[in-house]
Amino acid sequence: MSELNSRFGFDSFVVGPANQTAADAARVVAESPGTGYNPLFIYGPTGLGKTHLLQAIGLKARSMSASVQVELLTLEEFFEALHAATAAGQLEAFRHRCAGMDLLLVDDAQFLSNRREAQTELLKIAAEMRSGGRQLVVTSDHPPGEITNLDARLASELQSGLVVDVARPDYETRLGILRRRAEERGAEFDPGVLEAAAQVEVANVRELIGALNRLVAFQAVSETPVTPGAAASLLTDLVASAPAAARPSVVHDRAVVMDPNVAVTADNSDIITGDAALMPDPPVMPQFVAPAPAPPPQAPRAPAAPAPPPPPRQPQRVVTPPAGPRVRTTAQMAVPASEAAKADEFASFLSGVESSVKQSVEVWKARVGEAILRWEGEGYQTARLGSLLDRGNQTQAEETVRQFERDVQQLRSYENEMSAIDPAAAGSAVFRDPDRVSEAAVLVERAREGAGAPLGPSGAWAFDDFRVGESNRLAYNAALSVVESPGGRYNPLVLVGPPGIGKTHLLHSIGHALSAAPGALVACLSAQDYVDELAQAEEGGRLDQWRSRYRRATAYLLDDVQLLAGKERAQEELFNLFNHMIQAGRQLAFTITASPKEIEGIDPRIVSRLEGGLVATVERPDRDLRVSLAAKQLTDKLGQLDPDLAEYLGSRPAESVRVLSGAVQRVLRAAEAEGVQPDVSFARGVLEGGAAGARVSSGVRTSRVAATPLEAIRSREKVVWRWPDSGERLFEEL
């Protein structure tokens, strides 16, 4: 189950013409679950706020009634829970639990394609919820009729309420979103900057937030505020790939009509049959008010009749006292009138006490009975509560019920953790018996030990060793912000640039810093390692354990995302993990060689999510940065710095940090072989050839006597044999 995030309420959802209908319908459903549009189906391209609306519905419903039961599930979580319940023989309990929610929110229904088992169960759950007056809300990238191989009965069920779409935001909505988010971030811009950013017709809201992140980060490292012209230049690569004209919002506020000669008006108020059904009607915006039941027809008013006499008062029930000495009533005793009056008052007092005791007993028994029905309905064993009805009292019952509820909450916590580590084991009957909490704790502890930790960051790369220049200052400052507020302002952080310029160093620096937090579990690995691990997990039947390794992580950092291009299976797993981490408020960071939308073979859903964070470009190292890097490497190796040598090495052209480091290492190795202190002249001879370079030796003693080519052939002792070390050769990634 995904937790509701308080940041995604209706107050933070910016409404415009493209999402007005969906937002209004969502409010109606949140304020009155099960009475308005049931089910509510919201669809549209990725990144337009569908999940935000789901969260807002759940938060609003809870704010209006603390007792309302809300559950938010992505379809991937629905699959996992379904499989775990099936494996444990708890399918009925799982179905009953879902259908028993007052408000069930299901995200990403497009993944129902070709999942027959899941379609069957969702159909049963949807039908049961509708008949029970409970609310179902579903989101998808496509309307029900366009989901591939979706069961016709399920499609009909999902279309029986309200089907509404969200489209790309127009200029005013984009501007409103930018202003709202900038205000939340405390970011201030010169007049016209946000307007210029809103002119860019991005593909979705995620990319729009990514554009704002870019402006905030750029202004943070600039000496002057961003201008409207600079903003437009910064965002030129964010032009939406879809047509600029957003498609109109389509509302289907009707049930599926099988008869082609029957039409329904937009507000469901009239049914038109015959030829009139083919006549186009003027558009009518649906009124989002829960339809009230029509009053029954009133019979003709009859003459007023005398009011019937009130029914006789029922005699009060009195509990028969237990067997014992016989007590005579006042009517049987010869006593004065005053004594009889006192006796009557005392008898009334006794009768009231007996009635109060009986009512008290019935109240606590009723509470125990309600608790039994509730927890049995959710699949929990209730033998502990059932024993109270036979031998118990009010004080004992209250304490037992409270302890039972605490044990259930503990079991749920263990079950959720086990679902992340080993979904199949999460279906164990242990997690449904509050009398076996200690056994559940042992199972979870064993699972923790067996799951293993994910690959982590390298301690060799840290912020202290990272050199900053104008070419990487934006990315460096963004990385520091991520460490200061993980999962906050820049999530995900995407570092873009060619190979060998320090992206991997910066990524591991982030991971190294995040690992210092108490309880942190940081995953940091290359995309190739990720693909290899996935293949091994699938071959060994350990896919659930592999997933759990990374879902437990407090931060997930992936290097060289471009290597996932064309690998659909790996991208599907990354998509699900991405959603899990974002919903849990955990930090994500990636490196990639080009802008995500420029890499062919990357799923558009992943591109959208990457663009929704901060895409920070790392440029090739400038001269000052190269000098700084050379100075550090020389100091680390020699213990002292020759500024002229560092200046010479840094001034040489180098396309990447890797090329510069290779040149520095060549000079240092040559100087070590010669046993000399390197200087500018020596370095020039090594790197450019010349007199100084002639001193470079492979370690073979020679006479150093110059010889003609013919003499050299005749006398091997007069030849200077030099076999260049392979480490001195310059290798550049193609």
Side-chain angles (χ1 to χ4, degrees):
M1 180 181 72
S2 300
E3 294 295 330
L4 297 178
N5 191 326
S6 59
R7 295 188 297 117
F8 296 115
F10 281 114
D11 293 341
S12 61
F13 188 81
V14 179
V15 180
N19 58 20
Q20 177 77 56
T21 305
D24 289 345
R27 281 188 177 274
V28 170
V29 165
E31 294 170 358
S32 184
T35 61
Y37 310 107
N38 195 15
L40 173 62
F41 193 99
I42 304 173
Y43 75 94
T46 183
L48 294 181
K50 302 186 298 298
T51 303
H52 189 149
L53 281 178
L54 275 188
Q55 297 262 1
I57 291 171
L59 292 170
K60 181 69 174 179
R62 281 184 178 173
S63 69
M64 298 190 68
S65 174
S67 62
V68 67
Q69 294 184 352
V70 181
E71 183 156 2
L72 171 61
L73 288 169
T74 66
L75 209 65
E76 182 66 22
E77 292 170 337
F78 181 81
F79 292 151
E80 292 179 359
L82 176 61
H83 293 160
T86 303
Q90 298 287 331
L91 188 57
E92 287 293 333
F94 167 76
R95 185 188 305 145
H96 186 74
R97 177 170 176 247
C98 290
M101 290 290 158
D102 297 314
L103 187 58
L104 181 62
L105 312 171
V106 180
D107 201 10
D108 291 326
Q110 68 272 10
F111 296 124
L112 282 169
S113 176
N114 297 316
R115 304 285 185 105
R116 289 295 178 183
E117 180 185 3
Q119 292 181 29
T120 300
E121 290 306 317
L122 186 58
L123 175 60
K124 293 177 181 178
I125 291 170
E128 187 174 340
M129 292 189 72
R130 185 160 55 88
S131 63
R134 295 179 172 85
Q135 182 69 49
L136 174 65
V137 184
V138 181
T139 69
S140 171
D141 289 355
H142 306 286
E146 296 181 11
I147 298 177
T148 307
N149 295 328
L150 185 66
D151 188 291
R153 297 169 301 168
L154 178 57
S156 176
E157 180 70 30
L158 296 176
Q159 290 173 321
S160 63
L162 174 65
V163 179
V164 60
D165 78 335
V166 288
R168 300 180 189 277
D170 58 6
Y171 169 78
E172 287 76 13
T173 307
R174 294 196 296 270
L175 182 58
I177 293 172
L178 289 172
R179 286 174 173 170
R180 175 76 61 85
R181 292 291 188 265
E183 182 179 351
E184 292 174 354
R185 298 273 296 273
E188 297 183 0
F189 296 95
D190 286 350
V193 172
L194 294 182
E195 287 78 1
Q199 292 287 352
V200 181
E201 295 183 351
V202 294
N204 52 56
V205 177
R206 283 198 192 97
E207 293 189 7
L208 187 64
I209 303 304
L212 178 63
N213 288 336
R214 190 177 299 186
L215 293 178
V216 171
F218 184 82
Q219 184 161 273
V221 300
S222 300
E223 297 180 357
T224 58
V226 177
T227 64
S233 299
L234 280 172
L235 307 179
T236 52
D237 62 321
L238 293 180
V239 178
S241 57
R247 52 192 172 85
S249 179
V250 180
V251 181
H252 306 272
D253 188 12
R254 60 180 185 274
V256 175
V257 180
M258 303 305 295
D259 187 349
N261 292 324
V262 178
V264 185
T265 59
D267 59 356
N268 277 338
S269 60
D270 299 309
I271 298 179
I272 309 170
T273 60
D275 296 336
L278 305 178
M279 298 289 292
D281 292 328
V284 180
M285 289 299 293
Q287 300 297 319
F288 294 99
V289 179
Q298 299 183 357
R301 181 174 297 178
R313 185 174 182 180
Q314 297 295 327
Q316 185 178 12
R317 295 179 61 191
V318 180
V319 178
T320 304
R326 184 178 180 184
V327 181
R328 292 181 296 169
T329 64
T330 56
Q332 298 170 321
M333 301 175 63
V335 293
S338 59
E339 296 290 335
K342 291 180 180 179
D344 286 342
E345 291 177 1
F346 183 68
S348 298
F349 170 74
L350 288 178
S351 176
V353 170
E354 292 170 348
S355 177
S356 299
V357 170
K358 178 175 178 59
Q359 291 176 359
S360 176
V361 171
E362 290 177 348
V363 166
W364 75 258
K365 284 190 174 182
R367 180 160 186 253
V368 171
E370 290 175 357
I372 291 174
L373 290 176
R374 174 189 174 186
W375 297 118
E376 280 186 349
E378 295 197 22
Y380 291 95
Q381 298 293 328
T382 59
R384 189 196 310 178
L385 299 179
S387 64
L388 288 173
L389 299 177
D390 299 328
R391 54 181 190 283
N393 54 57
Q394 182 173 359
T395 303
Q396 181 185 6
E398 291 178 352
E399 176 57 32
T400 302
V401 170
R402 283 196 294 267
Q403 183 59 48
F404 186 91
E405 291 175 346
R406 287 193 291 267
D407 290 341
V408 168
Q409 293 304 321
Q410 184 63 61
L411 280 179
R412 282 180 170 173
S413 175
Y414 286 146
E415 185 180 11
N416 289 337
E417 185 175 356
M418 183 63 84
S419 296
I421 299 174
D422 187 354
S428 171
V430 171
F431 298 106
R432 292 289 158 175
D433 190 346
D435 294 332
R436 303 172 68 183
V437 174
S438 58
E439 294 181 49
V442 172
L443 287 179
V444 172
E445 184 60 31
R446 290 176 181 172
R448 290 171 185 158
E449 296 173 356
L455 294 176
S458 170
W461 284 322
F463 281 113
D464 293 341
D465 299 327
F466 191 82
R467 288 296 175 263
V468 183
E470 292 304 317
S471 59
N472 60 14
R473 191 177 304 280
L474 174 64
Y476 177 78
N477 287 350
L480 293 181
S481 296
V482 164
V483 173
E484 292 172 2
S485 179
R489 59 192 310 180
Y490 300 137
N491 196 19
L493 173 63
V494 183
L495 304 176
V496 179
I501 58 174
K503 303 189 306 300
T504 300
H505 187 158
L506 194 54
L507 188 75
H508 281 261
S509 298
I510 294 172
H512 185 67
L514 292 177
S515 298
L521 182 62
V522 178
C524 184
L525 68 162
S526 70
Q528 189 58 55
D529 288 337
Y530 166 84
V531 172
D532 293 342
E533 281 192 1
L534 174 59
Q536 293 172 6
E538 288 185 318
E539 291 175 2
R542 295 177 288 100
L543 190 56
D544 289 338
Q545 289 84 350
W546 177 81
R547 288 171 178 157
S548 67
R549 292 180 65 193
Y550 293 104
R551 293 194 178 190
R552 294 166 52 214
T554 55
Y556 183 79
L557 318 177
L558 190 62
D559 197 16
D560 288 328
V561 178
Q562 73 279 356
L563 298 180
L564 299 183
K567 299 178 175 64
E568 296 181 1
R569 186 71 186 86
Q571 292 186 51
E572 180 182 356
E573 290 295 333
L574 179 60
F575 172 77
N576 293 326
L577 177 61
F578 195 113
N579 290 340
H580 172 81
M581 299 293 286
I582 289 294
Q583 289 170 6
R586 300 172 186 174
Q587 183 65 47
L588 290 159
F590 304 90
T591 70
I592 192 169
T593 54
S595 174
K597 62 175 58 177
E598 296 176 3
I599 304 294
E600 295 184 3
I602 298 292
D603 192 314
R605 297 172 301 168
I606 294 179
V607 171
S608 169
R609 283 157 173 77
L610 294 177
E611 294 280 357
L614 173 63
V615 179
T617 301
V618 184
E619 305 289 348
R620 300 186 186 278
D622 55 80
R623 184 180 182 281
D624 292 341
L625 180 57
R626 295 197 301 270
V627 171
S628 176
L629 288 168
K632 182 182 185 307
Q633 293 186 31
L634 292 172
T635 303
D636 291 344
K637 182 66 175 179
L638 303 176
Q640 59 183 358
L641 175 63
D642 181 347
D644 293 335
L645 178 57
E647 184 73 21
Y648 165 72
L649 292 172
S651 64
R652 289 176 53 82
E655 292 296 312
S656 67
V657 174
R658 191 175 300 155
V659 171
L660 174 64
S661 297
V664 174
Q665 293 305 315
R666 287 178 61 194
V667 172
L668 291 175
R669 280 197 298 269
E672 184 178 6
E674 287 291 311
V676 299
Q677 190 76 9
D679 55 17
V680 175
S681 176
F682 182 84
R684 182 176 289 111
V686 172
L687 300 178
E688 302 177 17
R695 294 182 298 172
V696 179
S697 170
S698 63
V700 180
R701 291 190 64 179
T702 66
S703 63
R704 294 189 182 273
V705 177
T708 64
L710 183 59
E711 292 173 334
I713 294 175
R714 293 175 179 174
S715 176
R716 293 179 57 86
E717 294 181 357
K718 295 182 180 180
V719 176
V720 179
W721 295 92
R722 181 174 184 275
W723 298 89
D725 183 7
S726 62
E728 296 178 12
R729 298 181 182 179
L730 182 61
F731 289 90
E732 180 66 27
E733 290 189 7
L734 298 178

